[in-house]
């Protein structure tokens, strides 16, 4: 059995299991202070450990984080604008309390690993996983390994063409204003249209502009990464009507340049929702726990 912590800016989900068909225990609670929230996660896993041994625990965290195991701040949440959560050691207290191997990565890399093991990225070695929710983030794999480098990808903060006449909304990113996240994550929809994203009806002009921004970002990711598939999750993507709008815009922006049938003919299977649905995040965290256990065993 493995534990998983999906640490979100709004809520935490903790679960214990071995895969999508076998999630034994699960709990969810709002994200408050780091001490109280991380403490609740520890309490949950300790209660499970009293009767069920855990071979590893995975943490898939909102970011930015330090994912570099040799760094003195490995497992920390770093420069987040979320009050109280900057420079917080997320992994350390959990590893100390539970005494098992603890894997740690971004929420989107966690979800990508889960999708690779059990979902829409099975059999692929280079793909992107994006979430469009309270923020906009991306991760995934290159050549079969989760994307790391200098830090981890910050796909949500790429810069896009912004036609200020057509869209005078300045964007909400505290660092960049109108980066991709600033223009296209859930709070941007609310800031621009004065309605929560979930309240905007499918035919509303908001969704055509949203599909335009999402497609612009995807075209950049396609050109830089050459992913074999792009998986899009998060609250905003629950609007299923966005998928056909995005796919069509991606095709028209690429304008026939990338000549692969996946894009020109079978784009419905190229830009897709998570195979694990709403559970991609927490199952991804369990997958990180499984990977940590495997790494500790040297397998
Ligand atoms: P988080 O990013 O905190 O993990 P979500 O992925 O649910 O959580 O993202 C929350 C954002 O998604 C909010 O901005 C909310 O307005 C938007 N959202 C949530 N559900 C929907 C929905 N059904 N349709 C459109 N937008 C949604
Ligand atoms: Zn930004």
């Amino acid at each position: 059995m493995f534990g998983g912590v999906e640490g979100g800016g709004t809520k935490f989900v903790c679960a214990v299991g071995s895969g999508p068909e076998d999630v034994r225990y699960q709990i969810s609670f709002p994200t408050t202070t780091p001490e109280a929230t991380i403490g609740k996660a520890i309490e949950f896993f300790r209660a499970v450990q009293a009767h069920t041994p855990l071979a590893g625990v995975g943490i898939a965290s909102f970011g930015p984080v330090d994912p570099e195991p040799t760094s003195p701040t490995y497992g920390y949440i770093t420069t987040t604008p979320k009050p109280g959560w900057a420079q917080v050691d997320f992994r350390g207290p959990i590893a100390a309390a539970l005494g098992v191997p603890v894997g740690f990565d971004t929420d989107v890399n966690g979800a990508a690993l889960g999708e690779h093991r059990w979902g829409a990225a099975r059999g692929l070695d280079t793909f992107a996983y994006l979430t469009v929710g309270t923020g906009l983030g991306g991760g995934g794999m290159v050549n079969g390994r989760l994307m790391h480098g200098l830090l981890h990808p910050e796909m949500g903060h790429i810069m896009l063409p912004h036609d200020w006449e057509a869209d005078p909304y300045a964007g909400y990113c505290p660092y960049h204003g109108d980066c991709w996240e600033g223009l296209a994550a859930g709070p941007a929809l609310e800031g621009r249209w004065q309605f929560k994203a979930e309240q905007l009806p499918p035919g509303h002009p908001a969704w055509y502009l949203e599909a335009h921004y999402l497609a612009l970002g995807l075209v950049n990711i396609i050109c830089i990464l050459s992913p074999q598939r792009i998986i899009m999750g998060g609250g905003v993507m629950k609007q299923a009507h966005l998928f056909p709008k995005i796919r069509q815009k991606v095709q028209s922006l690429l304008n026939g340049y990338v000549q692969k049938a996946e894009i020109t003919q079978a784009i419905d299977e190229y830009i897709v929702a998570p195979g694990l649905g709403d559970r991609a995040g927490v199952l991804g965290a369990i997958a990180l726990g499984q990977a940590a256990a495997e790494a500790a065993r040297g397998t």
Side-chain angles (χ1 to χ4, degrees):
M1 284 292 123
F2 309 95
V5 183
E6 180 189 10
T10 309
K11 69 174 196 301
F12 268 47
V13 183
C14 300
V16 169
S18 62
E21 314 306 329
D22 180 29
V23 174
R24 308 256 174 112
Y25 311 98
Q26 184 166 321
I27 183 179
S28 169
F29 44 89
T31 308
T32 58
T33 63
E35 213 184 0
T37 316
I38 296 169
K40 268 200 163 177
I42 290 171
E43 204 179 293
F44 167 75
F45 291 117
R46 277 219 167 130
V48 172
Q49 276 180 322
H51 51 79
T52 304
L54 297 177
V57 170
I59 302 172
S61 174
F62 72 98
V65 300
D66 183 346
E68 170 52 54
T70 61
S71 159
T73 52
Y74 173 49
Y76 279 53
I77 295 178
T78 58
T79 50
T80 178
K82 189 174 170 61
W85 283 82
Q87 311 307 334
V88 160
D89 184 3
F90 189 167
R91 181 184 174 280
I94 293 179
L98 304 181
V100 297
V102 176
F104 180 82
D105 215 318
T106 59
D107 45 7
V108 279
N109 265 355
L113 186 62
E115 287 290 311
H116 187 250
R117 293 208 170 178
W118 303 305
R122 271 176 288 181
L124 306 182
D125 58 22
T126 299
F127 67 93
Y129 182 97
L130 290 160
T131 182
V132 190
T134 307
L136 198 164
M141 281 186 173
V142 174
N143 298 336
R145 300 179 64 132
L146 288 175
M147 284 181 210
H148 292 122
L150 180 65
L151 184 64
H152 50 73
E154 282 289 1
M155 297 185 196
H157 298 270
I158 60 175
M159 310 294 174
L160 305 172
H162 176 192
D163 178 345
W164 286 85
E165 249 171 65
D167 175 26
Y169 179 64
Y172 80 95
C173 174
Y175 288 88
H176 318 113
D178 63 347
C179 63
W180 197 16
E181 173 172 292
L183 288 174
L189 284 157
E190 188 175 349
R192 182 185 292 114
W193 303 100
Q194 315 300 320
F195 286 97
K196 283 198 174 303
E198 48 271 53
Q199 292 163 344
L200 291 162
H204 194 283
W207 296 117
Y208 294 89
L209 185 64
E210 181 69 6
H212 172 70
Y213 286 133
L214 292 177
L216 279 172
L218 293 191
V219 163
N220 287 321
I221 287 167
I222 291 167
C223 293
I224 292 173
L225 192 66
S226 206
Q228 295 156 319
R229 183 167 290 151
I230 297 175
I231 304 170
M232 302 184 77
V236 172
M237 296 312 301
K238 286 187 189 155
Q239 302 286 325
H241 59 86
L242 266 177
F243 280 97
K245 294 184 178 77
I246 293 166
R247 290 173 186 136
Q248 198 237 315
K249 286 253 177 195
V250 165
Q251 283 175 326
S252 73
L253 287 165
L254 282 172
N255 199 22
Y257 185 66
V258 181
Q259 274 296 323
K260 286 295 286 183
E262 285 82 349
I263 292 175
T264 56
Q265 287 166 36
I267 199 163
D268 291 4
E269 286 138 60
Y270 183 71
I271 298 171
V272 300
L276 300 171
D278 272 354
R279 305 196 302 157
V282 72
L283 287 166
I286 287 176
L288 287 173
Q290 194 178 2
E294 285 163 4
R297 278 203 313 267
T299 53

